[in-house]
């Protein structure tokens, strides 16, 4: 048994439309105070104006806030994002139900080689091999309508699970014990996963339109260019408790997506590299982390940042949902004319077929190199295509 600070790292006034919480003049000091109160130095963007009729001023402020965050950080929080807080909490609470299953049961939830999915869906566990620095397990899922996802049969019986008991507003107790899991608990987990997938897809479509405006592209350009959602996917992560000697959960990396979203529990451990320092993306109740990926970085010819980030394992279990809003694998990706020829700048990347890039990245994640000395260098980075 261990006592931990309650997961409520800070409350957000979701009725105030502030846009980015790093403004200027008089509001700047207030912004810093509010940002510190919510537990992090990351920009915070309120998306409420996009769900409100006749708030063009609010939409303009929020759009500018997203643009500024993409130029300076590439990593920011959003609130009032359209994903119900109840759904996020339910998904995080049900995640341990799946990962408490025996390894042989979880291993059944994996596609066979050679399936039609962009890459294999289902359960995976790192490290494979044992010298890999990352220590976590995850379930990779696609749009449920595509029929690629795999889940184990519903077993009823005694399982070891982690129970969270709230003792006050400040503390919770985590207890690991064996309890009887009734039928349909895995079904409820699957329902929560699929609901999260649908809501995060909607959020991706919204932010894609916002980025279209931020990048100064013709109206609807990105929605037309990236209208196929079959390469989007979500990873449900479980990170094992770390120790003083070994605490790597996910090595420093950049995302190969257009946009990534992270829903995380209260364990903490997600860091983003900013100006040479690791900045913690502390859990803030009700918020979602947004991460600009390599594809937007390439399209913008390095104007928008794709930040390096990592997960450091704490002495407790950590659960999170990471959604990757992608392009279809048959897309040819290169810097757009708006960031090159139209402004007289040379492209900083050569063009490439997206599927080639994604397959190289996923191969390094699911099948790390056999030699320990190659592990640090196993991930293909977007600099592979740099000019």
């Amino acid at each position: 048994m261990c006592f931990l600070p309650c997961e409520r790292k800070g409350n957000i006034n979701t009725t105030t439309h502030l846009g980015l919480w790093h403004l200027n003049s008089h509001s700047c000091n207030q912004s810093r105070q509010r940002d510190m109160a919510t537990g992090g130095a990351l920009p915070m963007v309120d998306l409420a104006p996009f769900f409100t009729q006749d708030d063009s001023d609010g939409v303009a402020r929020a759009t500018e806030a997203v643009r500024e965050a993409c130029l300076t950080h590439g990593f920011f929080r959003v609130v009032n994002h359209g994903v119900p807080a109840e759904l996020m909490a339910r998904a995080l609470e049900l995640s341990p139900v799946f990962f408490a299953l025996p390894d042989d049961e979880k291993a059944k939830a994996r596609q066979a080689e050679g399936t039609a999915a962009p890459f294999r869906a289902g359960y995976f566990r790192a490290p494979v091999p044992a010298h890999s620095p990352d220590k976590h397990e995850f379930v990779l899922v696609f749009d449920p309508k595509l029929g690629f996802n795999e889940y184990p049969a519903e077993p009823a019986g005694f399982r070891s699970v982690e129970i969270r008991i709230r003792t006050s507003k400040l503390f919770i107790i985590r207890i690991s014990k064996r309890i009887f899991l009734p039928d349909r608990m895995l079904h409820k987990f699957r329902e929560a996963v699929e609901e999260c997938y649908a809501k995060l897809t909607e959020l991706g479509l919204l932010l894609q339109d916002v980025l279209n405006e931020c990048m100064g592209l013709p109206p609807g350009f990105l929605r037309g260019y990236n209208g196929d959602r079959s390469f989007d996917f979500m990873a449900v992560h479980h990170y094992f408790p770390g120790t003083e000697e070994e605490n790597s959960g996910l090595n420093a990396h950049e995302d190969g997506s257009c946009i990534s979203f992270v829903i995380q529990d209260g364990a903490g451990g997600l860091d983003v590299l900013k100006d040479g320092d690791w900045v913690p993306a502390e859990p803030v109740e009700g918020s979602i982390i947004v991460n600009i990926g390599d594809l937007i970085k390439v399209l913008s010819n390095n104007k928008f940042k794709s930040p390096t980030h990592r997960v450091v394992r704490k002495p407790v279990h950590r659960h999170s949902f990471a959604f990757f809003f992608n392009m279809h694998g048959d897309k040819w990706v290169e810097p757009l004319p708006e960031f090159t020829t139209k402004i007289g700048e040379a492209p900083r990347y050569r063009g490439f077929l997206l599927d080639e890039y994604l397959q190289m990245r996923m191969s390094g994640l699911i099948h790390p190199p056999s030699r320990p000395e190659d592990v640090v260098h196993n991930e293909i980075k977007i600099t592979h295509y740099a000019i």
Side-chain angles (χ1 to χ4, degrees):
M1 180 185 304
C2 63
F3 292 84
L4 297 173
C6 174
E7 294 180 7
R8 185 183 297 271
K9 296 280 185 172
N11 292 323
I12 301 166
N13 182 353
T14 55
T15 61
T16 305
H17 301 171
L18 294 175
L20 184 64
W21 284 18
H22 295 297
L23 303 177
N24 51 31
S25 66
H26 174 69
S27 64
C28 186
N29 290 332
Q30 295 178 337
S31 298
R32 290 195 186 97
Q33 292 171 1
R34 281 189 288 262
D35 193 48
M36 291 297 290
T38 56
L42 297 181
M44 180 90 76
V45 180
D46 188 339
L47 299 182
F50 295 101
F51 299 94
T52 305
Q53 292 184 346
D54 302 324
D55 189 6
S56 57
D57 290 342
V59 166
R61 289 194 300 271
T63 300
E64 177 58 23
V66 170
R67 189 188 73 85
E68 183 66 19
C70 291
L71 292 171
T72 60
H73 289 71
F75 214 83
F76 54 98
R77 306 179 194 276
V78 291
V79 295
N80 292 323
H81 39 61
V83 182
E86 177 277 330
L87 171 59
M88 295 191 292
R90 174 160 47 93
L92 289 169
E93 289 172 0
L94 287 169
S95 181
V97 171
F98 174 86
F99 291 110
L101 294 174
D103 288 347
D104 58 345
E105 288 289 332
K106 289 183 286 191
K108 295 176 183 178
R110 184 183 303 162
Q111 282 188 317
E113 295 278 6
T115 59
F119 19 83
R120 293 171 69 190
Y123 172 78
F124 297 91
R125 179 167 179 164
V128 182
H131 56 254
S132 172
D134 298 340
K135 300 293 189 296
H136 68 282
E137 55 185 344
F138 61 96
V139 181
L140 194 150
V141 299
F142 290 91
D143 186 336
K145 296 190 292 291
L146 299 176
F148 296 144
N149 300 334
E150 296 285 344
Y151 296 91
E154 184 78 45
F158 284 92
R159 298 284 182 262
S160 294
V161 299
E162 181 181 76
I163 304 173
R164 307 176 190 182
I165 302 174
R166 186 181 298 276
T167 60
S168 69
K169 291 183 178 181
L170 297 177
F171 294 97
I172 60 171
I173 303 175
R174 296 175 187 260
I175 305 174
S176 180
K177 65 179 297 184
R178 290 176 63 80
I179 65 170
F180 186 82
L181 292 183
D183 290 338
R184 298 184 61 77
M185 286 296 285
L186 281 178
H187 178 74
K188 293 180 183 297
F189 167 70
R190 178 175 180 169
E191 284 183 337
V193 167
E194 294 182 353
E195 288 179 47
C196 278
Y197 195 102
K199 285 297 184 180
L200 290 171
T201 298
E202 293 176 6
L203 180 57
L205 290 170
L206 169 62
L207 280 181
Q208 180 174 248
D209 288 344
V210 176
L211 287 177
N212 193 97
E213 179 70 18
C214 293
M215 297 169 73
L217 301 175
F221 173 81
L222 284 180
R223 189 172 283 250
Y225 177 73
N226 186 29
D228 190 313
R229 304 268 52 85
S230 59
F231 268 64
D232 298 346
F233 65 94
M234 185 168 72
V236 184
H237 285 279
H238 168 224
Y239 295 88
F240 302 105
T243 65
E244 290 185 5
E245 295 76 24
E246 204 290 300
N247 63 1
S248 176
L250 198 56
N251 245 1
H253 66 285
E254 299 81 38
D255 285 356
S257 58
C258 289
I259 317 168
S260 305
F261 303 116
V262 176
I263 298 172
Q264 58 180 331
D265 67 9
L270 177 60
D271 296 336
V272 59
L273 191 63
K274 179 72 169 70
D275 298 329
D277 295 320
W278 288 107
V279 178
E282 295 287 359
V284 174
E285 185 176 0
S287 71
I288 293 176
I289 296 292
V290 179
N291 176 16
I292 299 302
D294 285 344
L295 301 183
I296 295 297
K297 179 179 181 178
V298 171
L299 293 180
S300 69
N301 206 31
N302 273 2
K303 293 297 189 299
F304 283 15
K305 295 185 180 298
S306 175
T308 302
H309 53 286
R310 68 181 183 184
V311 175
V312 176
R313 289 184 292 127
K314 304 296 185 179
V316 295
H317 293 272
R318 179 182 188 268
H319 294 269
S320 66
F321 287 66
F323 184 90
F324 301 91
F325 191 84
N326 279 318
M327 295 180 189
H328 193 277
D330 64 5
K331 283 294 182 183
W332 185 258
V333 182
E334 62 185 353
L336 295 172
E338 284 79 3
F339 296 93
T340 55
T341 56
K342 291 185 178 181
I343 60 173
E345 291 193 10
R348 299 190 179 187
Y349 299 92
R350 56 187 172 89
F352 59 91
L353 186 67
L354 179 58
D355 190 54
E356 170 192 280
Y357 178 50
L358 293 179
Q359 293 299 335
M360 287 191 294
R361 285 182 61 99
M362 292 305 295
S363 176
L365 174 63
I366 297 174
H367 303 292
S370 58
R371 299 191 310 160
E373 58 267 32
D374 290 339
V375 170
V376 177
H377 308 288
N378 71 321
E379 185 180 4
I380 299 295
K381 295 179 176 290
I382 201 63
T383 51
H384 180 75
Y385 300 103
I387 297 175

